[in-house]
Amino acid sequence: MILEHVGLSQINGSLVVLDGVKDATFDEMVVLKLNDGTQRVGRIVMIEGEKCVIQVFEGTTGFSLNNTRTSLTGHPMMVDLSPEILGRTLDGLGRPIDGLGEIYPQYRRDVNGSPINPVSRVYPRNYIRTGISAIDALATLIRGQKLPIFSGSGMKHNELAVQIVKQADVSDGEEFAIVFAAMGVKNDVADYFKKSFEAANVMDRVVMLLNLANDPIVERIITPRAALTIAEYLAFDLGKNILVILTDMTSYCEALREFSSSKGEIPGRKGYPGYLYSDLASLYERAGIIEGRKGSVTQIPILTMPGDDITHPIPDLTGYITEGQIVLDRGMDAIGVYPPISVLPSLSRLMKDGIGAGYTREDHNPLANQLFATYARVQDAKALASVIGEEELSPSDKRVMEFGRAFEQQFVGQGSTNRTIEETLDLGWELLSMLPKEELDRVDQVMLDHFYKPKADPKQRELGLRRAFKND
């Protein structure tokens, strides 16, 4: 027999208060039936004695203190799981919205997931190829890693997310799939995601969750949890390597701030709740590999930094929890470099353990070190040129400036090209060959002798270009 509670004690926006409730649990789902026969679902977000505060998902329009009957379900928010979920488009709560019918579940699981025993975690190894040189070569994404993208408002992070979905794969032929969750996006952005995936014929390996800007904020708080629950099922039950892309985590954090404020909680830095760190950790720490299980869960959270401020609480706390970051640069975006990845502040802390012989190629690590070192010299040369002018630079600094321009336009600014890891590494050596061998200082001599192929003498190169131009 299901017990129903008649009426409400208080209504405050999307929150309602119910008195006289016994044996309720935090995060428990409830069903609220109105006298006109309609019903809505809610979630218990606070318990004080026998008083429960319930967040109503569809809002409280039409509610009064005496026209509802509330029943507790006895379980938290659940997601329907089945192998047929691949290729489907769902709402923020994991319900189908693609018109292809309901999902007939093999399992129904709590969106909050089950904590992974730290002892059973396997150290991340091997890499996921994104086809983007600046990531694959210099901030390599490792399976089981959480590697965020720090962007800014109006920058091309949506295009970058779509490109990663189109191109990402694993090198050893194991099963691979993507869970893509968009939070607080406008309708045109949601349509862009759907049409891009369909046009690229990748929807058969993608599960897409869409939470629109006009959807309830409580749904936005559930969306990344539903996405990660689906990812864990695909990875640890079906043995797939899963890449989870969460965009935009700033929208999630702002929904959390609004939700916290509506409950009357004491705000922390910039109005965000004091538990923002632990809340983000409860999402990011669901990435990983479990001993004895075949699959893996890798995360790429994307967040827009308010005011391009990397010290803002959202990127600041995210950086503490995750293993590196990929930073997008507004200056490079303004001059048309795509993807506008800022190389020097970007890093992957697990990169060294998933590259090299047996993973990518034996020259990967020394090449990456040399590219970082040389590009750092480019920044020094740019700073000096801004004072004395580029024409007054030494011949060595002029060569470094030439390398910097080629590196930004060809290596970083690859456009929508999908590069293999071999093409990326070969291009890196080709660009380094613009510099004399004696100016390279971070490369093992054996690697240098094997892969370094110096270009022709500058005068011969110029003569060749003139001949080619004349022939054209």
Side-chain angles (χ1 to χ4, degrees), residues 70-271:
T70 306
S71 56
L72 279 62
T73 62
H75 61 75
M77 179 70 197
M78 309 291 281
V79 175
D80 293 341
L81 301 171
S82 167
E84 68 182 34
I85 203 168
L86 276 171
R88 302 298 300 270
T89 301
L90 316 174
D91 67 6
L93 301 180
R95 301 173 299 194
I97 56 172
D98 51 11
L100 299 179
E102 294 298 316
I103 294 171
Y104 296 96
Q106 289 186 355
Y107 303 97
R108 300 190 75 237
R109 289 187 181 156
D110 180 1
V111 297
N112 297 298
S114 300
I116 300 176
N117 186 340
V119 177
S120 67
R121 282 184 178 270
V122 176
Y123 192 85
R125 301 280 183 182
N126 219 323
Y127 78 110
I128 293 176
R129 187 189 70 86
T130 65
I132 298 168
S133 294
I135 297 176
D136 290 347
L138 304 175
T140 313
L141 177 64
I142 307 301
R143 293 186 210 176
Q145 184 180 12
K146 37 198 182 289
L147 185 65
I149 295 176
F150 291 177
S151 182
S153 179
M155 294 179 66
K156 292 183 172 62
H157 48 272
N158 288 333
E159 290 83 349
L160 182 58
V162 168
Q163 187 172 356
I164 291 173
V165 171
K166 290 179 180 179
Q167 299 177 177
D169 62 21
V170 291
S171 59
D172 54 8
E174 292 189 11
E175 291 188 79
F176 180 73
I178 294 171
V179 176
F180 184 90
M183 294 163 281
V185 297
K186 296 184 290 185
N187 281 285
D188 58 338
V189 177
D191 288 340
Y192 165 71
F193 287 142
K194 288 190 287 188
K195 291 176 180 177
S196 298
F197 299 158
E198 289 168 356
N201 293 319
V202 296
M203 271 304 295
D204 60 336
R205 67 169 189 174
V206 175
V207 181
M208 183 160 55
L209 291 87
L210 295 176
N211 167 258
L212 302 178
N214 60 346
D215 288 334
I217 62 163
V218 68
E219 180 178 314
R220 198 163 305 151
I221 294 170
I222 296 292
T223 301
R225 292 174 167 80
L228 289 165
T229 303
I230 293 170
E232 289 164 352
Y233 165 72
L234 295 173
F236 305 133
D237 286 61
L238 302 187
K240 300 178 183 292
N241 291 289
I242 304 298
L243 175 61
V244 182
I245 299 178
L246 305 172
T247 180
D248 174 356
M249 291 303 296
T250 300
S251 295
Y252 168 83
C253 293
E254 289 175 350
L256 196 67
R257 176 170 62 178
E258 182 178 343
F259 178 51
S260 173
S261 177
S262 68
K263 291 195 293 180
E265 295 175 338
I266 299 173
R269 190 159 54 126
K270 292 190 180 293

Side-chain angles (χ1 to χ4, degrees), residues 13 20 40 42 108 112 129 154 157 160 168 198 327 330 356 392 395 399 401 408 444 463 471:
R40 301 177 196 178
R108 300 190 75 237
N112 297 298
R129 187 189 70 86
H157 48 272
L160 182 58
E198 289 168 356
V327 182
R330 192 171 294 279
E392 298 298 327
R399 286 192 296 267
M401 290 285 284
E408 291 175 355
D444 179 86
L463 182 61
N471 291 337

Side-chain angles (χ1 to χ4, degrees), residues 415-446:
S416 57
T417 306
N418 182 5
R419 288 180 182 154
T420 65
I421 191 66
E422 289 79 13
E423 290 171 338
T424 289
L425 299 178
D426 288 345
L427 178 59
W429 284 109
E430 181 181 343
L431 292 172
L432 286 176
S433 68
M434 299 174 66
L435 303 172
K437 182 182 289 190
E438 59 270 14
E439 292 189 19
L440 304 181
D441 57 356
R442 296 296 182 92
V443 183
D444 179 86
Q445 190 62 42
V446 175

